[in-house]
Amino acid sequence: MDSEFFYPSKEVVKNANVKEYDNLYKKSVENPEGFWSERAKTLEWFKKWEKVLDDSNKPFYKWFVGGKINIVHNAIDRHLKTWRRNKLAVIWEGEPGDVRTFSYHALNREVSKFANVLKSMGVRKGEIVTIYMPQIPELMFAMLACAKIGAAHSVVYGGFSVEALAGRIQDAKSRVVLTADGGFRRGKITDLKGIVNEAVKRSATVEVCIVVKRTGHEVFMENDRDFWYHELMGLPIASAKCKTEIMDSEDMLFILYTSGTTGKPKGLLHTHGGYAVYTSTTHKFVFDIKDEDRWWCAADPGWVTGHSYIVYAPLINGATILMYEGAPNHPYPNRWWQMIEKYGISILYTSPTAIRGLMRFGDQWPQRHDLTSLRLLGSVGEPINPEAWKWYHKVIGQEKCPIMDTWWQTETGGFMITPLPITPLKPGSGTKPFFGNEVAVVDDKGNEVPVGEEGKLVIKTPWPGMARTIYGDAERYREVYWKEFEKQGWYKAGDSARIDKDGYVWIIGRIDDVIKVSGYRLGTAEIESALVSHPAVSEAAAIALPHEVKGNSIHTYVILRAGVSAGKQLEEELKNHVSKEIGPIAKPEDVTFVDSLPKTRSGKIMRRVLKARAQGLDAGDLTTLEE
Ligand code: WTA
């Protein structure tokens, strides 16, 4: 694991935005405030900050205190004063093959018009607008329009179903929901509006729903509540002249729900100032963004990767972004490679699941295409196995593109442990911490574990991109991330990891009740509560087992209510029930009917025991097991 290094070419090193790591890293951690204030100066502020970091109320850190900024001013407005006004900001391709492109000028027009529409619907600074859309340009316009007028967005991944959407709308108390009549996925239409209709029934706060016409299939529109996007955008109120609101550095930019240990998803809150500085810096340094690049982050904007690295960071850096609506293998497994060739993509950032999935189809698919425009590759979301890494490096990157394996989380806002293009790589390791960050792998007491041994990953120092709190539940924020190492003041990531003799970090996986399926983050508790909401089920447990393509797959155990009999049909019904409640990504691989579940004396399900049994392994220490 330690020996194999992949060195960057001279060419890569010569042209890199950042040409050295060790010294700069040393300086950055000796004086993180100095490092970050230099970086903040690369953005445009309406008023300069008074204090870089306010740590007087730990763990509720504040960055660039007193500064006035708007991330949209940096992502769009400031480019309009330069030649970039006419540069392509977004190339979008729909799954059926339709293409739309937007220069920075055009992006500004669309965003400003929609911002005025939102204002006319009474959207105000500080309110949270829920966005539930397919991957279409309007999703990006909607996010930016909210931010421009000082409203916050809460984007809910378009693959989530009724229960998940309703819970998020309710928690954010959204008055306005933005959606579409559907999207295209594997040649089928996803019925987003139908799901919104159901979710809104359960959410008393919703007054307005704006619907983009994407597929043209018939949807139910409620009088006086539902409005067509294109009709509103055609009205005189939708003028392209709109002032960008002056925001406090620490004002809320968005909340993004993610799964945690308990059933209720947490709305992680990010702010304008620190997030803008952190995402744009990490993007520029790690992906070496230059004006001539064409950047493709093949994530979904519904997850943090899309927020930070499809929308905000690339726009702040003035990049040309490719956004693609559909599945990687539709209509053929060459879809991605075809798009790289067609648009001359220079940087591709995706997940190990996507790589493994495409690898399975064989080398002939990428080999048919000219991929020589690629300069750098990236990976995110889960550990990448060396086999997939090497395939990605050899077949896609033609052995000349370094792979940036970036470790980070919804909570961190941007990359935390990551190579730079100049870093000697080891397949499967995220290598070293980004500038300003100190990380460690520790035992339960907070002592660093010996080299090569597994422990808990902690971050020892605050960084500008960190989430500020959990929306509406500051106590939970403290409890989940900061309580365990409160004495030391460290952030607990929830991952286990080890650090090798070269100081390279290897992420092993989650140590809490979070499951990463195809890189998507789900909570066991969410799956369990979906199962228990079915009338046949009395108790349920969900675990993750390793899966060749998805990284992990979901396996469930169910105790039925008295009088209900188990069977193949019920198993199917329960699997579909979970899929309907949460979304297809949460559909369990199987349901095992059991009479009892292993529990601690205090009644907590010991998923570890279920997992060990399922894998035929020793369950380890069972002293807390009930019987
Ligand atoms: C996992 C995604 C290994 C990890 C940006 C983390 C990774 C969780 C990597 C956060 C990586 C993310 N190598 N594991 N490069 N990147 N993870 O919030 O378990 O959806 O805690 O953010 O994904 O997932 P989230």
Side-chain angles (χ1 to χ4, degrees), residues 217-492:
H217 87 295
E218 190 148 350
V219 293
F220 172 77
M221 298 283 283
E222 174 89 35
N223 258 345
D224 297 332
R225 183 198 72 192
D226 297 350
F227 303 88
W228 288 108
Y229 179 93
H230 63 274
E231 287 178 4
L232 297 173
M233 291 289 271
L235 298 175
I237 44 121
S239 119
K241 192 172 157 195
C242 179
K243 189 177 155 283
T244 300
E245 198 67 32
I246 295 175
M247 305 296 285
D248 195 278
S249 180
E250 282 291 307
D251 277 340
M252 170 165 66
L253 169 62
F254 67 82
I255 56 173
L256 182 57
Y257 288 90
T258 191
S259 301
T261 314
T262 63
K264 205 169 158 252
K266 313 173 274 205
L268 272 313
L269 188 152
H270 286 278
T271 57
H272 275 257
Y275 179 82
V277 175
Y278 196 77
T279 54
S280 60
T281 299
T282 47
H283 185 238
K284 185 164 193 124
F285 285 19
V286 174
F287 282 104
D288 206 41
I289 288 295
K290 313 245 169 47
D291 258 315
E292 52 275 26
D293 274 316
R294 288 203 162 172
W295 161 256
W296 184 13
C297 167
D300 190 290
W303 302 86
V304 74
T305 308
H307 280 58
S308 300
Y309 299 107
I310 294 180
V311 181
Y312 289 111
L315 291 176
I316 295 172
N317 288 329
T320 297
I321 300 159
L322 174 66
M323 195 175 165
Y324 167 58
E325 177 185 34
N329 55 346
H330 188 85
Y332 304 107
N334 66 338
R335 184 65 189 262
W336 274 20
W337 319 128
Q338 197 180 32
M339 283 193 295
I340 289 171
E341 178 182 74
K342 180 172 171 190
Y343 299 112
I345 297 302
S346 51
I347 312 168
L348 171 67
Y349 183 41
T350 184
S351 67
T353 290
I355 299 160
R356 288 189 293 257
L358 290 165
M359 183 170 99
R360 268 195 327 172
F361 293 113
D363 299 2
Q364 72 274 24
W365 295 100
Q367 273 166 1
R368 272 195 202 108
H369 295 277
D370 178 4
L371 304 180
T372 49
S373 58
L374 287 172
R375 182 164 76 78
L376 275 176
L377 300 171
S379 173
V380 61
E382 36 176 337
I384 180 163
N385 48 311
E387 194 199 347
W389 193 100
K390 286 177 188 161
W391 183 82
Y392 195 29
H393 189 256
K394 182 161 178 253
V395 180
I396 306 307
Q398 298 136 94
E399 293 178 329
K400 69 173 174 70
C401 307
I403 298 175
M404 303 295 103
D405 180 356
T406 58
W407 177 87
W408 60 296
Q409 310 176 297
T410 308
E411 291 83 349
T412 70
F415 313 147
M416 298 303 289
I417 299 171
T418 172
L420 299 172
I422 56 161
T423 308
L425 303 171
K426 296 186 192 188
S429 169
T431 74
K432 297 196 175 181
F434 190 72
F435 300 118
N437 298 331
E438 286 180 78
V439 307
V441 172
V442 301
D443 64 17
D444 291 341
K445 294 198 190 76
N447 302 312
E448 284 192 26
V449 300
V451 167
E453 276 177 35
E454 181 174 345
K456 294 179 173 174
L457 179 66
V458 295
I459 302 163
K460 293 177 157 181
T461 41
W463 64 100
M466 66 202 304
R468 298 301 190 261
T469 187
I470 291 175
Y471 179 70
D473 203 346
E475 205 31 56
R476 194 168 162 210
Y477 177 73
R478 184 201 296 275
E479 172 82 32
V480 176
Y481 305 106
W482 302 91
K483 187 117 187 253
E484 185 165 352
F485 300 108
E486 197 166 24
K487 216 171 66 228
Q488 298 91 336
W490 297 342
Y491 169 86
K492 181 183 73 172

Side-chain angles (χ1 to χ4, degrees), residues 155-213:
V155 179
V156 179
Y157 168 59
F160 276 136
S161 293
V162 177
E163 187 64 27
L165 175 60
R168 286 155 173 79
I169 295 175
Q170 289 159 13
D171 190 68
K173 299 182 195 65
S174 283
R175 210 174 53 75
V176 176
V177 176
L178 311 177
T179 188
D181 64 350
F184 292 102
R185 188 85 193 168
R186 292 210 168 76
K188 291 205 194 97
I189 289 174
T190 52
D191 183 25
L192 298 178
K193 183 63 167 68
I195 291 168
V196 167
N197 289 342
E198 284 306 306
V200 166
K201 269 189 211 154
R202 304 187 198 176
S203 317
T205 52
V206 178
E207 292 168 14
V208 172
C209 180
I210 301 178
V211 188
V212 177
K213 190 170 254 175

